[in-house]
Amino acid sequence: MNILNDPATKRLSPEARRQQILDAAIDYFAEAGFAVQTRELTRRIGVSQPVLYRYFPSKAALIEEVLEAVFLKQQSPNWLKDLRDRSMPIKARLMAFYGSYVESTYDERWLRIYFFAALANFDFNGRYVKGIVEDKILKTVCAELRHSLLSADQIKKMPKKIHAREIELAWMLQSNLFYGMVRKHILNAAADIPEPTRLSDAVDLFISGAQATYPTLLVKSVTAAN
């Protein structure tokens, strides 16, 4: 994408021009990784270094905004709200949530940015995994599993804090769906079944495992409390 060769660029507002540079940088970093030199980056996206630095004070600042745009801004505020809608069965909620989440998040560009950022040892991946995936998504999944699989009396006996084993159980579903998209978009080895079928099977296995595991978690929680 060569921005300088686009006649429409000259008519853009500063905000739109900044967004155009950001979008071009996302595409280029997804292709080439984050180790590229600034001069190569500016050449490929079609702006001079002074223009780039007018909108982003440094390469590090540009990368931070790229990661924020890719990892955070695509999140829907309604996803967790729908996941907590207890008028629906837990499977239906998990199917709806992960159907939207996987489709909206794990595309080829997102995955490539994710892996390049991890290889570059940026701490953003860790912040995303802890602050978004674990603290928001997986702990919500665990709370809804408790409500769906345990009685009110059983829930009262468990500590309010989500157990580490519950988190790991939820990671099994999250990781299953993540790697399915890696196979599809990165390894060119997509499953030979429709995505909704694969999602349904993954959710069924997850719920079955949770049904077998949560009574054990309950016993351990009560024993630890006593």
Side-chain angles (χ1 to χ4, degrees), residues 80-89 93 144:
L80 293 182
K81 179 181 176 183
D82 294 341
L83 190 56
R84 296 186 181 104
D85 181 4
R86 293 176 178 175
S87 67
M88 298 174 60
R93 285 184 273 157
E144 296 311 308

Side-chain angles (χ1 to χ4, degrees), residues 43-196:
R43 185 185 70 81
R44 285 293 300 271
I45 66 178
V47 298
S48 66
Q49 288 194 17
V51 169
L52 177 67
Y53 291 134
R54 185 187 309 160
Y55 292 96
F56 303 94
S58 65
K59 180 184 174 184
L62 173 61
I63 289 174
E64 184 74 12
E65 293 220 28
V66 164
L67 297 177
E68 183 175 331
V70 171
F71 291 135
L72 303 183
K73 291 185 177 178
Q74 89 283 12
Q75 303 292 320
S76 169
N78 291 323
W79 284 346
L80 293 182
K81 179 181 176 183
D82 294 341
L83 190 56
R84 296 186 181 104
D85 181 4
R86 293 176 178 175
S87 67
M88 298 174 60
I90 187 65
K91 178 178 178 178
R93 285 184 273 157
L94 290 171
M95 287 284 295
F97 170 74
Y98 277 109
S100 297
Y101 177 82
V102 169
E103 180 70 22
S104 301
T105 304
Y106 297 152
D107 59 17
E108 181 178 359
R109 188 172 73 164
W110 190 98
L111 290 166
R112 291 180 65 86
I113 289 285
Y114 182 87
F115 286 122
F116 278 131
L119 291 170
N121 292 320
F122 296 148
D123 68 348
F124 202 100
N125 291 49
R127 284 186 278 148
Y128 171 77
V129 166
K130 184 69 174 68
I132 300 297
V133 179
E134 283 199 3
D135 288 347
K136 293 187 177 180
I137 297 174
L138 300 188
K139 287 184 179 179
T140 299
V141 169
C142 292
E144 296 311 308
L145 275 179
R146 285 186 177 191
H147 180 268
S148 298
L149 302 181
L150 301 175
S151 69
D153 288 340
Q154 287 175 321
I155 292 173
K156 288 180 181 178
K157 293 177 182 178
M158 295 187 74
K160 291 183 179 180
K161 183 179 179 180
I162 300 296
H163 193 282
R165 193 174 172 194
E166 294 177 82
I167 296 289
E168 286 305 306
L169 185 67
W171 263 119
M172 292 177 189
L173 176 59
Q174 185 88 16
S175 301
N176 182 324
L177 300 174
F178 173 83
Y179 189 66
M181 293 298 101
V182 172
R183 286 167 55 198
K184 178 179 179 179
H185 294 300
I186 305 298
L187 304 179
N188 296 317
D192 291 330
I193 59 174
E195 287 298 332

